[in-house]
Amino acid sequence: MSYATIEELRALDGLEDSGLFADDVLGDAIDFAVETVEVYCGRKWDSTTDPTPETIRWCVRRIARQYCLDLVSRIPDRALQLQSEFGSIQLAQAGGPWRPTSIPEVNARLNAYRARLPFIFM
């Protein structure tokens, strides 16, 4: 079982427009999401002996969806401040060793599957 498919992403809210989100963009989003999950968790799934948990598949789909929506959004994913003709806005930002994405519910689920601590004890 794979992490996610293009058809699964198309079924998500906001990604059904194939004119706005081509299949190659969705493929890039899946690649980005898989790399984010594998690097943060420190392990790989997707083998016959170690199948991908449904929670990880959900996380990959959510990260890929966020990646696609950020491509057309006017607000950067982790912006600290946004200035426009209407004024300046301070934005909250995800970050740090326990927050690999800007989606809190994804971060919480990825932390449960993390194979290593994000820091080193000396």
Side-chain angles (χ1 to χ4, degrees), residues 82-99:
L82 180 67
Q83 289 184 294
S84 69
E85 64 270 13
F86 302 112
S88 177
I89 302 169
Q90 296 287 333
L91 302 170
Q93 153 174 313
W98 296 97
R99 291 174 249 151

Side-chain angles (χ1 to χ4, degrees), residues 54-103:
E54 184 55 37
T55 302
I56 295 297
R57 296 183 75 241
W58 178 85
C59 290
V60 167
R61 290 191 301 264
R62 292 306 250 162
I63 294 169
R65 178 182 180 271
Q66 185 70 31
Y67 175 90
C68 290
L69 294 179
D70 284 345
L71 290 177
V72 296
S73 175
R74 295 180 59 168
I75 300 174
D77 180 29
R78 296 186 184 209
L80 289 176
Q81 185 174 9
L82 180 67
Q83 289 184 294
S84 69
E85 64 270 13
F86 302 112
S88 177
I89 302 169
Q90 296 287 333
L91 302 170
Q93 153 174 313
W98 296 97
R99 291 174 249 151
T101 72
S102 62
I103 312 167

Side-chain angles (χ1 to χ4, degrees), residues 37-45 50 56 98 109-119:
V37 168
E38 288 179 348
V39 167
Y40 183 73
C41 290
R43 60 182 294 194
K44 294 183 181 192
W45 289 275
D50 192 15
I56 295 297
W98 296 97
R109 291 185 176 152
L110 288 179
N111 283 332
Y113 285 92
R114 192 166 170 88
R116 62 178 184 271
L117 294 174
F119 48 85

